[in-house]
């Protein structure tokens, strides 16, 4: 198991306090800055490793940054604290975004990111809870994370600790039937402290979601399964903060976060071939220039 970086964790605690104390424009600015840092890190990680899922990593970044930067009740120095909130990245192939975010929070030293995808590295292509603090369950096979999140939410209710559970799903992943069994179960049990976040970038490996197996009207489907549905710009930190607020209806919350695959790098944005394509050195330079403007 990787060890905590206490100095970075202290900086993260300070950032959290600043975000929570700030007026909305300043809170958004702080989170946006963190998102840019995470995106730059993702580009570097995938460039070094010569493998990864850069399009989905960049689309989910603002979601993860908003959760860890302002919403989740977690402590990088005590990653297994019993009453912590849970975050499950069901779209586990986008592990680079999760690792980059966790390192910025101090869960482990940022220097470890240079080992991403290397033989025997703890930072494998899919997250492993036995090796990486902050990872709640091993994910990668699509359709598994949502059912586990339902179990976590049920466990929190049984413990009575008030913890919230968040699960981040890819939209193409919703073509797996196990997700809809999980949605039906969560509604049946009234798991109002469960929040499912759909990274709705409308692309999956090889094609657009609507050309593969149509998902729309997605909001209506979650509503029909008994969920409180919120739609949000998945790159607007302020809108995401509002969307991640607790349930107001006693039902589980589904946040459909409308995103752009490859967000932040113009030649990657909304391009299906960048599902797991690796940028050339010239493209890395161009991506860094765009992200730092």
């Amino acid at each position: 198991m990787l060890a905590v970086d206490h100095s970075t964790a202290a900086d993260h605690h300070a950032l959290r306090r600043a975000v929570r104390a700030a007026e909305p424009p300043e809170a958004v600015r702080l989170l946006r800055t963190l998102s840019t840092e995470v995106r730059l890190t993702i580009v570097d990680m995938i460039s070094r490793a010569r493998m990864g899922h850069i399009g989905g990593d960049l689309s989910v970044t603002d979601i993860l940054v908003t959760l860890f930067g302002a919403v989740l009740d977690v402590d990088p120095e005590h990653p297994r604290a019993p009453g912590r909130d849970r975050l499950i990245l069901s779209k586990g192939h986008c592990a680079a975004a999760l690792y980059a975010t966790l390192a910025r929070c101090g869960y482990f030293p940022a220097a470890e990111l240079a080992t991403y995808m290397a033989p025997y590295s703890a930072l494998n292509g899919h997250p492993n809870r036995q090796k990486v603090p902050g990872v709640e369950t091993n994910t990668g096979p699509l359709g598994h994370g949502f059912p586990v999140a339902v179990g976590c939410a049920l466990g929190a209710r049984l413990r009575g600790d008030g913890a919230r559970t968040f699960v981040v799903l890819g939209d193409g992943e919703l073509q797996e039937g196990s997700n809809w069994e999980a949605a039906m179960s969560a509604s049946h049990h009234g798991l109002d402290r469960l929040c499912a976040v759909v990274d709705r970038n409308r692309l999956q490996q090889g094609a657009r979601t609507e050309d593969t197996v149509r998902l729309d009207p997605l909001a209506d489907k979650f509503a029909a399964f008994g969920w409180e549905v919120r739609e949000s710009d998945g790159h607007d930190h302020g809108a995401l903060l509002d969307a991640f607020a607790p349930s107001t209806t006693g039902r589980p919350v589904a946040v459909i976060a409308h995103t752009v695959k490859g967000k932040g790098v113009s030649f990657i944005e909304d391009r299906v071939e960048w599902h797991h394509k690796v940028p050339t050195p010239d493209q890395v330079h161009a991506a860094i220039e765009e992200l730092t403007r």
Side-chain angles (χ1 to χ4, degrees), residues 203-208 261 270-276:
L203 287 174
Q204 59 190 98
Q205 183 173 351
R208 296 195 172 275
K261 198 160 187 174
D270 200 37
R271 299 288 295 271
V272 69
E273 66 268 27
W274 283 96
H275 180 75
H276 49 60

Side-chain angles (χ1 to χ4, degrees), residues 208-221:
R208 296 195 172 275
T209 57
E210 305 311 282
D211 294 333
T212 306
V213 176
R214 186 171 62 252
L215 294 172
D216 282 335
L218 188 55
D220 292 346
K221 289 173 181 174

Side-chain angles (χ1 to χ4, degrees), residues 105-248:
C105 297
Y107 279 90
F108 55 86
E112 292 288 344
L113 297 173
T115 72
Y116 172 62
M117 292 281 203
Y120 307 110
S121 170
L123 305 182
N124 201 344
H126 295 90
N128 186 331
R129 71 182 301 271
Q130 299 297 333
K131 297 180 179 181
V132 185
V135 173
E136 295 293 349
T137 190
N138 297 25
T139 54
L142 300 178
H144 289 198
F146 200 172
V148 172
V150 171
C152 288
L154 281 168
R157 171 177 289 176
L158 291 170
R159 291 191 305 272
D161 58 19
R164 297 181 71 191
T165 302
F166 292 81
V167 56
V168 178
L169 303 128
D171 50 0
E173 180 180 7
L174 292 178
Q175 294 158 2
E176 299 282 353
S178 54
N179 289 306
W180 298 103
E181 294 179 37
M184 181 169 58
S185 179
S187 174
H188 172 76
H189 290 289
L191 299 179
D192 61 335
R193 300 193 69 76
L194 173 64
C195 180
V197 186
V198 181
D199 181 8
R200 185 71 167 117
N201 60 40
R202 295 182 172 271
L203 287 174
Q204 59 190 98
Q205 183 173 351
R208 296 195 172 275
T209 57
E210 305 311 282
D211 294 333
T212 306
V213 176
R214 186 171 62 252
L215 294 172
D216 282 335
L218 188 55
D220 292 346
K221 289 173 181 174
F222 269 104
F225 273 71
W227 286 61
E228 179 181 337
V229 183
R230 302 168 183 171
E231 298 197 61
S232 173
D233 180 340
H235 301 303
D236 181 331
H237 298 90
L240 287 171
L241 285 171
D242 291 340
F244 294 153
S247 172
T248 61

Side-chain angles (χ1 to χ4, degrees), residues 6-25:
H6 292 286
S7 176
T8 304
D11 290 343
H12 178 66
H13 287 310
L15 174 66
R16 292 266 309 207
R17 290 192 295 270
V19 169
R20 289 179 171 178
E23 294 295 320

Side-chain angles (χ1 to χ4, degrees), residues 47-85:
S47 173
R48 286 173 180 266
R50 307 307 302 160
M51 62 183 81
H53 293 82
I54 193 167
D57 286 319
L58 294 174
S59 76
V60 79
T61 294
D62 297 312
I63 294 169
L64 295 179
V65 164
T66 302
L67 287 170
F68 279 97
V71 177
L72 294 171
D73 184 6
V74 292
D75 182 353
E77 297 187 281
H78 301 93
R80 295 289 174 91
R84 70 191 182 279
D85 288 348

